[in-house]
Amino acid sequence: MPETLTDILIRHIRDNGPISVSHFMGLALGHPQYGYYMNRDPFGRLGDFVTAPEISQLFGEMVGVWMADLWLRMGAPAPFLLAEAGPGRGTLMADILRATRKVDGFHAAMQIHLIETSPALRTLQTHALAGFTPHWHDSIDTLPDDAPILFVANEFLDALPIIQLMHGDKGWAERVIGLSDDGQLMFGLVPADPSLVAAIPDNLDPKDGQGVYEVSPARSGFTALLSERIERQGGAALFIDYGHGHHGMGDTLQAMRAHKFVGVFEDVGTADITSHVDFEAVAETAIHHGASVYGPVEQWQFLEDMGIRMRAAHLINNATDEKLADAVRDGLERLISPDQMGSLFKVLAICHDAAPMPSGFGEDITP
Ligand code: SAH
């Protein structure tokens, strides 16, 4: 039998002891050879999950309008970095580029920068962005530091590793992955890092949500670097993801294969493993680094505020046949309906503290 990622993990744990949930997620998604994202196209009907830009062009168009509007009100800086983290198939960026084509000077001023670790997905992005010249990066560190940034990431933060703290009879412990008596992967507990425990908000009831509290040093690390860049270079970032607006208790670690939830230890590396984003934690980090934060608002609010219904009506009126019109209606419904993506998905903007207020977050309440 060929070696699998599960075999590699079992051997590693046998030799070195239990690993953190964060270490587990990092390997399941990013192992150079067997990591989930490293060698496949996970998206679409035939893949494992469908994301907003893959559902409808309306999504990327609204993000494009958001960026162009802010860029114009920032005084149309040239050059600027049009940056995306975790671009998947490149669909969102392609839709942003189409939506901004007629914005005077936008394309001439932009430099496209993509932060993407997967070689397979970089290839798909190259095809989706044919005619443009994107620059790829393994991490945010190598983004140029001499121009304002307009940044977007959809379903990127949910893929960054988390640590799970678990409350039991003896107080807080860290959830880890070890081996059962018969040598299979299983959850266990080890003493928790006191600095992580100290940061758990005291207004939460540790008995809620299976006693689990999640923190993501990887997410706060990314947000910190991005917020510092925005404060130094100017600009703004838009994050869209599933998650909650406030800190909360709950085990949200999930694995998905072929549009169904599966066990996280089932054939590791062949299912997408994610967790819900704590947007309050993201906002706190950004504010701590001097940036201004707007939202989170629910995805339906952001998209409606950006004019998605008007754009959909226009596409429906211009559709050459009823099937196309139905596809637009269906896409709109999936993006904004509260029982589909409308409410679970949240949108948060991180802006330079002197940048104009971004659109999409309700009325401007400043005098
Ligand atoms: N934004 C896309 C894809 C979301 S899936 C969409 O909405 O369709 C997550 C994306 O993040 C993939 O492109 C994956 O390869 C990338 N990714 C995951 N972990 C990453 C990391 N640590 N650094 C950079 N990219 C990462």
Side-chain angles (χ1 to χ4, degrees):
M1 280 249 288
E3 189 183 46
T4 64
L5 186 51
T6 309
D7 299 333
I8 295 174
L9 284 170
I10 290 175
R11 200 174 57 235
H12 178 89
I13 295 170
R14 198 183 298 130
D15 295 346
N16 305 287
I19 59 173
S20 64
V21 171
S22 158
H23 189 170
F24 173 77
M25 276 183 88
L27 286 174
L29 296 178
H31 184 280
Q33 201 179 347
Y34 300 111
Y36 177 73
Y37 282 119
M38 296 322 251
N39 44 34
R40 76 185 72 224
D41 171 10
F43 308 103
R45 204 161 49 83
L46 301 176
D48 296 310
F49 59 95
V50 186
T51 59
E54 301 300 333
I55 287 176
S56 168
Q57 68 182 73
L58 291 166
F59 182 80
E61 287 174 352
M62 294 303 111
V63 175
V65 171
W66 185 87
M67 287 187 159
D69 166 64
L70 195 59
W71 179 73
L72 287 170
R73 288 189 291 116
M74 281 163 58
F80 74 97
L81 314 181
L82 177 56
E84 181 177 1
R89 278 182 175 168
T91 310
L92 172 55
M93 185 54 81
D95 289 340
I96 291 173
L97 292 171
R98 207 187 48 259
T100 53
R101 203 173 45 193
K102 293 193 184 139
V103 179
D104 206 15
F106 192 90
H107 279 210
M110 73 189 180
Q111 288 174 7
I112 304 172
H113 290 270
L114 306 176
I115 302 171
E116 174 61 71
T117 40
S118 159
L121 292 177
R122 282 188 183 198
T123 304
L124 291 181
Q125 291 155 19
T126 308
H127 296 309
L129 303 176
F132 296 94
T133 45
H135 305 271
W136 277 273
H137 303 264
D138 288 326
S139 76
I140 192 172
D141 300 330
T142 49
L143 278 188
D145 57 7
D146 53 359
I149 306 173
L150 286 176
F151 172 99
V152 64
N154 183 59
E155 291 210 39
F156 166 71
L157 292 176
D158 65 57
L160 298 186
I162 54 162
I163 288 175
Q164 290 190 318
L165 300 167
M166 208 165 183
H167 196 265
D169 303 340
K170 297 187 212 123
W172 288 99
E174 181 181 341
R175 212 167 177 213
V176 291
I177 289 110
L179 298 180
S180 63
D181 291 342
D182 60 350
Q184 301 303 307
L185 298 174
M186 67 174 270
F187 283 116
L189 294 172
V190 299
D193 177 342
S195 69
L196 291 179
V197 175
I200 299 174
D202 356 292
N203 61 338
L204 299 179
D205 182 347
K207 286 196 270 314
D208 285 347
Q210 304 109 305
V212 174
Y213 185 72
E214 300 176 336
V215 280
S216 177
R219 260 174 223 154
S220 15
F222 187 89
T223 308
L225 291 173
L226 180 63
S227 307
E228 279 168 15
R229 290 295 198 119
I230 285 175
E231 279 307 297
R232 219 171 331 123
Q233 297 171 223
L238 196 62
F239 281 107
I240 308 109
D241 225 309
Y242 40 81
H244 29 276
H246 295 284
H247 300 309
M249 298 290 298
D251 173 6
T252 74
L253 190 68
Q254 62 181 47
M256 189 168 262
R257 186 188 304 119
H259 307 275
K260 293 200 174 65
F261 291 113
V262 295
V264 288
F265 298 146
E266 209 175 278
D267 236 339
V268 184
T270 68
D272 187 32
I273 299 198
T274 61
S275 73
H276 284 197
V277 174
D278 175 349
F279 277 100
E280 187 172 2
V282 176
E284 282 169 351
T285 305
I287 290 166
H288 181 75
H289 286 84
S292 299
V293 167
Y294 300 89
V297 296
E298 295 184 351
Q299 177 165 296
W300 71 267
Q301 287 174 300
F302 175 79
L303 293 176
E304 291 215 359
D305 221 21
M306 292 309 301
I308 196 170
R309 283 187 189 275
M310 237 164 75
R311 175 66 181 151
H314 178 81
L315 289 176
I316 291 165
N317 285 337
N318 287 311
T320 42
D321 65 65
E322 212 30 49
K323 249 169 96 181
L324 277 176
D326 279 344
V328 176
R329 281 188 204 102
D330 180 60
L332 175 69
E333 171 75 11
R334 290 175 69 185
L335 292 176
I336 65 177
S337 163
D339 52 3
Q340 302 214 31
M341 300 177 88
S343 287
L344 175 60
F345 280 74
K346 312 284 188 294
V347 184
L348 179 92
I350 297 175
C351 302
H352 184 276
D353 63 332
M357 163 146 184
S359 47
F361 294 87
E363 292 300 307
D364 187 347
I365 47 162
T366 49

